[in-house]
Amino acid sequence: MSAALFPRATPDSNRFVYVAAQLTSGVFELFSVASGGGTAPTRLNSALILGGNVTGFAISADGHVVYGADQGADERFELYSVPAVGGQAPTVLSGAMSAGADVTKFLLSDDGAFVVYLADANTDQVFELYRAPINGSQAPVRLNAPLAPGASVLAFEIARDGSRVVYQAGVTSPNESADLYSVPSAGGTAVRLSIFDAGPSTQRWFAIAPD
């Protein structure tokens, strides 16, 4: 059995969630276990396709676990949600995705109501920004404005109150050129905040102030 990776407590501290190759050597899956011990760990993901692994997870304020995995098709990394206590099949959050598509990054809203994620869901290597409710009650909504040829969404952050998402979109080669946008988290018109235009290998960072 491998060591437990990235153990995190649920908001009520009743359970710990972790990733481990616990059942099959080299196959990393998602588990939760009572913080007080006395019971066996519960596997949270569904059976993985041959070659599949869980790659990361986050825990929402209401105790759901959102995780990324190539669960249904090898090397197609999708997004799922499941209660930390287990007891039900995971819900796919990332919707229909083309062959070879991947979710590469995701963040949860502070209230645990929704997840925002990056994926090349429609066109290979063109990464766009999506929002989906963590309970899977609605299909994902694309948040970014239409992208210029060769451009992708490069980075994003969710406002603390969950009302807006700020993201950076543009190209990274041969020269980096990216704009910063703000969009309502429920979807709507994206507003350009500022313009970046820099030479190759330039790094860009941004953050949303707490207020």
Side-chain angles (χ1 to χ4, degrees):
M1 184 177 75
S2 73
L5 303 177
F6 318 117
R8 298 172 195 162
T10 55
D12 60 10
S13 298
N14 287 336
R15 301 188 73 83
F16 279 91
V17 179
Y18 62 94
V19 172
Q22 186 166 302
L23 302 179
T24 305
S25 178
V27 178
F28 289 90
E29 300 187 272
L30 187 67
F31 299 88
S32 77
V33 65
S35 56
T39 59
T42 298
R43 188 179 72 172
L44 298 181
N45 58 274
S46 296
L48 299 173
I49 196 78
L50 181 65
N53 288 282
V54 173
T55 57
F57 71 91
I59 305 174
S60 72
D62 67 354
H64 276 75
V65 182
V66 176
Y67 69 93
D70 52 346
Q71 182 169 290
D74 190 27
E75 297 300 315
R76 186 179 70 200
F77 293 94
E78 299 176 277
L79 206 57
Y80 300 85
S81 175
V82 65
V85 297
Q88 68 183 57
T91 299
V92 181
L93 300 182
S94 46
M97 297 176 65
S98 61
D102 295 311
V103 173
T104 59
K105 178 184 177 179
F106 63 92
L107 295 174
L108 309 187
S109 61
D110 280 0
D111 63 3
F114 62 90
V115 59
V116 177
Y117 64 92
L118 278 180
D120 56 345
N122 296 313
T123 304
D124 189 36
Q125 297 302 305
V126 176
F127 291 93
E128 300 191 89
L129 192 63
Y130 299 87
R131 173 201 190 272
I134 287 176
N135 62 12
S137 60
Q138 296 176 347
V141 173
R142 189 179 69 179
L143 296 180
N144 58 274
L147 298 170
S152 284
V153 175
L154 306 175
F156 69 94
E157 294 288 344
I158 304 173
R160 292 293 299 272
D161 65 1
S163 64
R164 303 192 71 85
V165 178
V166 174
Y167 69 92
Q168 186 186 37
V171 298
T172 57
S173 63
N175 295 317
E176 180 182 327
S177 178
D179 295 345
L180 197 63
Y181 298 86
S182 175
V183 64
S185 61
T189 302
V191 177
R192 188 168 65 179
L193 300 180
S194 62
I195 301 173
F196 298 139
D197 190 359
S201 77
T202 300
Q203 298 286 336
R204 295 295 179 180
W205 296 270
F206 64 91
I208 301 175
D211 58 358

